[in-house]
Each structure stands twice: as C-alpha cells, then as structure tokens.
Amino acid sequence: MPNMSLKKNEMPAQAPDVRNKNFKEVALGYTAETAVDEAKRCLNCKHKPCVGGCPVKIHIPDFIAKVAEGKFEEAYQIIQKSSSLPAVCGRVCPQETQCEQKCVRGVKGEPVAIGRLERFVADWHNEHSCDLPVKAQPNGHKVAVVGSGPAGLTCAGDLAKRGYDVTVFEALHLAGGVLVYGIPEFRLPKAIVQKEIDNLNALGVKVETNMVIGKVLSVDELMDEFAFEAVFIGSGAGLPRFMNIPGENLKDVYSANEFLTRVNLMKAYKEDARTPIAHAKKVAVVGGGNVAMDAARCAKRLGAEEVTIVYRRSEAELPARREEVEHAKEEGISFKLLTNPVRILEGENGFVGGMECVEMELGEPDASGRRSPVVKENSEFTMDVDCVIMAIGTSPNPLIKSTTKGLETQRWGGIIADENGQTSREGVFAGGDAVTGAATVILAMGAGKTAAEAIDEYIKNKK
Amino acid sequence: MYKIIRKKELNPTVTLMEVEAPFVARKAEPGQFIILRVDEEGERIPLTIADYNREKGTITIIFQIVGGTTERLNRLGEGDCIQDFVGPLGTASHVEGLKKVAVIGGGVGCAIAYPVAKKLHELGAVVHSIVGFRNRDLVILEKEFRSVSDVYKMMTDDGSYGEKGLVTDALKALIESGEQYDEVIAIGPVVMMKFVSLLTKQYDIKTVVSMNPIMIDGTGMCGGCRLTVGGKTKFACVDGPDFDGHEVDFDEMMKRATVYKEFELHEREKACNLFSKEVK
Ligand SMILES: Cc1cc2nc3c(=O)[nH]c(=O)nc-3n(C[C@H](O)[C@H](O)[C@H](O)COP(=O)(O)OP(=O)(O)OC[C@H]3O[C@@H](n4cnc5c(N)ncnc54)[C@H](O)[C@@H]3O)c2cc1C
Ligand SMILES: Cc1cc2nc3c(=O)[nH]c(=O)nc-3n(C[C@H](O)[C@H](O)[C@H](O)COP(=O)(O)OP(=O)(O)OC[C@H]3O[C@@H](n4cnc5c(N)ncnc54)[C@H](O)[C@@H]3O)c2cc1C
Ligand code: SF4
Ligand code: FES
C-alpha cells in the first residue's frame, strides 16, 4: 500500500540559530524508518517520468522500491550503475528542476524526495559496506585526466573500471575541484568527498596533486613524452569575474572563489587556522546563485552581524537551489533584490567603507524569454558594509587553451567539444564546466561519463 | 612531499634551501615562482625560483623570515620534507634581445633579481647591478651577483658597507654619468620599486618591476593577487609577476598588502612561541 501523504518526509536539520554559528552539516539525513516511509510514497510509475529528469538517468523507481523493502545495499548497487558520486549528488543537485520536477506525485502535493533518498542510500552504503571495489584487469592503455572535479573523477573512475591505467592531474594540493574548494563543509562534508576519492584510488586511479597542466606539463607533453594515449580535460570554470566598478580593489573586496577557497580549502574558519580571512561585521554578497548563497552563509558563520545578498533581478530569477535560498533565509541572511552595485566606497586605511547601489526594475522579456533588469532613474543609495564578495560568475581558465596547440575554444573561453566530448584535437576530450561554463555537479559527471565511453571507443579503434 | 637537500643561512633573517622538485626544475625560468605549503595545516605562500638545476631536478628558494609560515619553513632542516611545492608559476621574465640592463635588487629582492641578472649575463647582455641593504649584516648573494655583473654597486642605508644611500641614488648617478640602458629591472620592497619607477620615468627608460601581492592558489582562480596596471585589473600570478613599472598603481598595491596585518602579527607570535617551547 503506497504512502499517500501529500508531503515529503521532513529531513531533520540543525536549528537555524545554532547552525549559523558552526560549519557542521546543516541537513542531518533520513533515518532508516523515514527513508522506508518516504520510499513508499513512490508509485513506481510505468513511464518513469522522474528518470527523464535525471541527467544521468538513474533507475529511480527501481532503487526506491529496494529502499521501501529495506534492501539498502541493493538500492545502492542500482544507483551506482548510473552515478559515481551519489552521496554528493543527493546533497547538491537542484532536484526541484530535475528528477523531482517530473515526479507524478508533485502534481498534487510534493514530489517524492528522490534526492534525500539517494543521499540516504549512499550514506548507508558508506557506513555499512566495507567491500572494496574490484580492480579491473589492466588493458595496457594509459589515459590522463586534467582536473579532479566531478567531471574528471567520474571520467577517471569509468575508465579505471574498463581496465585503463588512469592518472588524474590536479593543480591544487587537494583533489575534488569545487567539491572541496567551493561548496562548504556545512553543505557537503569533506569526508564524503574524500571517501569517494578513496574509492577511486582503490580502483587503481592515481591522483597527482600540485600539477598545473599548461605550466608544469602541457597536454602535448602528456601525449608525446609521457605516452598517454588520450587526455580528458575537466579543468572547470574557475576564473572569477569582477564587475569592473570603482573601488573593487579595496581591502576586503573578495571574489567568491577567493573567499570560499580560504574558508573551505584552507579551513580559514578554524580557530587555529594559518590562512587568514576577513571577519567582517556587515557583508554584502553580490549575485544570486549557489556560489552567492554559500559565500553569504560562510560569512555569517564567521561571525558577521549582517549579511545581505544583493541581486539585480527578483526572487523568482534567483538561480540558486531552492533549498539553499530557504536555508539562507532561515539563517538570517537578508535579500536586497532588484539592486545593483555601482561603486564601492573607501573607508579607513583602504578598507571597504560602503557600497553605492542603484535600484533595478524588470523590463520586457527578451528573445530568451528572460526579463532583463534596467536601472531605475535617481535611485542611488548607499549600503553600510565593510566587506563585499563578488559572486557574479566564473569562466574557464585560459591556461589550457593557451598552451595546447590546435585546441579550439568559444570566444568566452569554453572548450569546443561535440556531444561525446571530442575536441578539435585528436585524442583530446573535454567535459564539465570547462566546456559548458559554470553548470552543475551532475552535468559535469554526465560529461565525464560520456567522454569515458568515447575515449574507450577511440583507443579501441586506434589499434 | 618535496625533500630539502641543502639549507644555508645567508644572514640572520634570510635562508636558502635547495629542494627536490624535478617537475618544477624541468621548466623553471627566471622570473617565475613556486607556491608551497610547509605542512598539512599550512597556508600557501609564494616564493621566487632563485635558481634551478635541471639535471639534479632541484629548485633553490631564498626566503626572508617575516612571519608565521616563513618561520615554520625555516625550522625544517636538510632531509626534511615540504608538504606541497607547486610550480613553475607566473610568466618568465622577458630578457631576450636586451643589450644593456640595470638590475636593481633591494634586500631579499636580490634573491629574485639574481637569477634574472644571471640569465641576462648568459645571453651576453651588459649587466649593471645595484643592490641595496639596510646594513652590512643583511647582505646576501654578493659573490654570485658580482660574478654576473659588469658593474656592481653596493648600497647600505647606514653606510656600514659599500656606499651610504639608496639604490635610486646609485641609479641616478649612473644615468647622469651617461650610461644608457635598454631597460631597468627593479625587484625589492614595493616602495623601492615605486621610487625607481618614478626616477626612470623622468629619463624615459623602460622599467620592469616584479610585484609580490598576497597570493593563494597562484593559478588565476581567485583574483586575490590582483593589482591595477595601466588602469586595468591584472592577476599578478598569471599576467605577472613582472609588470611595466610606469603603469603599476603602487599605492593601491601597498595598501592591499596590509590587509591581514593583525592576523599575521598574531600568527608570528604563535610560531615563535611554539619554537621557544620546542627548544626549551
Ligand atoms: C560555491 C559553489 C557552489 C556550487 N553549488 C552547486 C550545487 O549546489 N549543486 C550543483 O549541482 N552545482 C553546484 N555548483 C557547480 C558545480 O560545483 C560545478 O558545476 C562542478 O563542480 C563542475 O565540475 P567540473 O569537474 O567541470 O569542474 P571543477 O569542479 O571546477 O573541477 C575542476 C578541477 O580542475 C582543476 N584544474 C583547473 N585547471 C587545471 C590545470 N590547468 N591543471 C590541472 N588541474 C586544473 C581545478 O583545480 C579543479 O580541481 C557550485 C559551484 C560553486 C563554485
Ligand atoms: C610572486 C612572489 C614571489 C615572492 N618571492 C619571494 C622570495 O623569493 N623570497 C622572499 O623572502 N619572499 C618572497 N615573496 C614574499 C613572500 O611570499 C612572503 O614573505 C611570505 O608570504 C610571508 O609569509 P609569512 O607567513 O612568513 O609572513 P606573513 O605573516 O604572511 O607576513 C609577514 C609580513 O610580510 C608581509 N607580507 C605578507 N605577504 C607578503 C607578500 N606576498 N609579499 C611581501 N610581503 C608580504 C606582511 O605585510 C607582513 O608584514 C614573494 C611573493 C610573491 C607574491
Ligand atoms: S515519477 Fe515520482 S512517483 Fe513516479 S516513479 Fe518517479 S519518483 Fe516514483
Ligand atoms: S593568487 Fe589567486 S588568482 Fe592569483
């Protein structure tokens, strides 16, 4: 008998006033009982619309059926066939615009909590199963992966499962990409990312950190001198954009990348951290995506009294995950919508002393259907802030392009690749944010997966 | 892990280390730098590649003990390992085609200026070196610098060694005496580079400075190292660290460098306390 409750089972969470002072995970996850109960809300639809909404096509009703029966490890095995980082995706995917948006139960009431169930299953597996993955028989071929974000890790894992000798080259001192330097601990505990990387190591994937490809070694050298038969580029979109407004180089104006790297990768939030960070009192975060929400919530946890999201469109256009916006509000982050900064004012000793903004209104829908914001006349006003974090987007770093012969890119920097990840260079594949510009974890994983297949084809056909 | 195979104290506050880092040594060029992390909890700090040996696969760094991290680094000895050591980063100095150059080094900046002077010398350029130190005890790399210089001028603030005065005094004297330089390369404290640039602007001599803003990743992903050059924002770790001295906004740069002053003071105290406990 299915559970006909119109609402999802709540996921327990730390109380807002407690969690906005620590970096521990906010959402605490389902218990076995709530997971089973939630799973029973699934109707096991024949036409499975939810699967169509999932970028990597997880067999959603099948795994949920196993959860309903209490067979959690079997559920994991089903997810694992399609997704290599379920503990991550269950936490960070924007389910409301993917699988859950298509769920039949969502027509009347709330959709099945597919993300929370995925997360539960993956956590259960990580806690209870100690089976090491089985290493594949080596096939004698070498592939290099540049970048250890979700795209690179997924590609590496899939190739290793096919017997390839895979080496991942990572520029930073820790593997994980945005999962370690961007998304904060309170949303994605770093132990979970490490666990996924340990699993890859067990499959035989080697990870070489401190290797900036384009500087230390070029893609051409990897292929010519080090005999990698193919290279996958998953270098992400880590180049921060600034607004180019006056005052942007004042002290305590950060790019979100710098702020989050200091907080997450360098653990600047810890009492005894050696990497410094501003502990400002009144922080403005410019932007409305996940990056802005993360930066704002980190600033709050570092002790800021007032944190304000400044976004030039309205609430409906906020690109962040719904859940993060809700969480941010509960934690006391304020939102100044339809507002755009024009100048950052200098305070004492070259620090930020305020921010001048204008109000915006939404104009007529443009060709893409989006209503673009226009400045309201004579609407200037000054915000009292002592720190500004710019979270207005990133683009791919030009380093790989500028050092790889014949690699074609879009004008904005994205690597040009076909639907299989093949670039303009033979044997060179690419995927994730490096190709699409800043997108999502699951799309990066999907791209890594597709490219692994294409690389396998390519190498098999070559001999 | 990157092993320290040689350590030498050049003066009471400046240390040289030769570190095993074969991948960095393969490609290193003068003007480039590395980023290191001393240990698991460490912060990432940039240091210039002072020398390299491609055959041995080693990189030499020379650093001044100014704060917590350099203090901790200096506590490591031969045979110890540095946790992370990534490079070569930044754009190499453009030295090809120069015939006559004045290379100016201030304090520990001499460690950065020396490999540039050496490369120029190897390429057959005439090298006039002007180095400045606060006093005699702080002098470093004198023998090395002399051996690659056609003219070598030593200046100290208090006159305890060489001539008394600033590097700008010596540069001005050389220019006034009729020396003509294709380029002036100045490396040292920001104030020093600022005043060298102001001086050479009067004579319209192209001047290159090596900027050392605060860095984190060193690969262009954060913009922490940004500065204004010719009215535009540049990232020193990828576009530099060398820039046209007549275009750099030195005042902004000096302000930005002090952003973590309080934290740094505190960190240094911690590192020192830790040290005194250990030696007890
Ligand atoms: C703060 C923040 C929050 C986000 N929140 C969400 C969310 O909630 N849900 C969601 O789905 N998505 C979210 N995203 C987006 C998501 O994280 C990215 O789309 C995804 O990580 C892209 O994966 P990737 O593998 O393409 O690149 P990345 O994760 O960016 O990884 C690229 C890796 O390559 C390395 N690299 C770069 N250049 C080189 C080089 N030359 N040599 C060697 N290594 C190199 C980088 O250091 C990095 O480790 C968020 C992003 C940010 C920044
Ligand atoms: C590209 C580049 C190359 C460099 N090469 C060398 C080198 O070859 N040898 C060397 O001794 N130093 C070099 N530096 C400076 C070196 O990075 C700093 O001295 C070091 O980061 C200080 O770390 P700390 O924790 O010991 O001191 P901190 O506690 O960080 O700082 C102590 C004092 O140093 C100042 N300071 C902090 N960061 C910098 C910085 N990046 N540049 C200048 N002053 C700073 C602070 O204002 C403070 O007064 C270089 C910097 C850059 C950006
Ligand atoms: S659409 Fe919803 S109810 Fe139907 S199978 Fe998918 S998750 Fe279950
Ligand atoms: S140090 Fe981060 S961009 Fe230069």
Side-chain angles (χ1 to χ4, degrees), chain A residues 251, chain B residues 190 212-214 252-261 264:
Chain A
K251 290 191 277 189
Chain B
V190 182
N212 51 1
I214 292 171
E252 176 189 275
M253 158 80 198
M254 279 189 268
K255 276 190 196 158
R256 279 184 68 81
T258 61
V259 54
Y260 298 118
K261 214 161 195 136
E264 283 158 355

Side-chain angles (χ1 to χ4, degrees), chain A residues 101-122:
Chain A
Q101 189 186 37
K102 299 279 169 68
C103 174
V104 169
R105 294 296 308 266
V107 179
K108 215 173 92 201
E110 289 183 348
V112 175
I114 304 171
R116 293 175 185 177
L117 288 172
E118 179 186 19
R119 165 189 165 142
F120 167 79
V121 167

Side-chain angles (χ1 to χ4, degrees), chain B residues 26 55 75 110 114 127 140 160 178 197 214 221 252:
Chain B
R26 265 168 61 96
E55 289 72 47
R75 228 173 292 151
C110 288
Y114 164 66
V127 179
I140 58 168
S160 54
S197 300
I214 292 171
M221 65 162 264
E252 176 189 275

Side-chain angles (χ1 to χ4, degrees), chain A residues 240, chain B residues 35 214-226 235-238:
Chain B
I35 285 204
I214 292 171
M215 292 187 179
I216 302 101
D217 57 299
T219 65
M221 65 162 264
C222 78
C225 64
R226 67 193 185 276
F235 290 5
C237 70
V238 287

Side-chain angles (χ1 to χ4, degrees), chain A residues 41-45 49-50 60-61 64 102-105 112 114:
Chain A
R41 292 185 61 226
C42 172
L43 304 172
N44 206 349
C45 313
C50 50
I60 293 167
I64 294 183
K102 299 279 169 68
C103 174
V104 169
R105 294 296 308 266
V112 175
I114 304 171

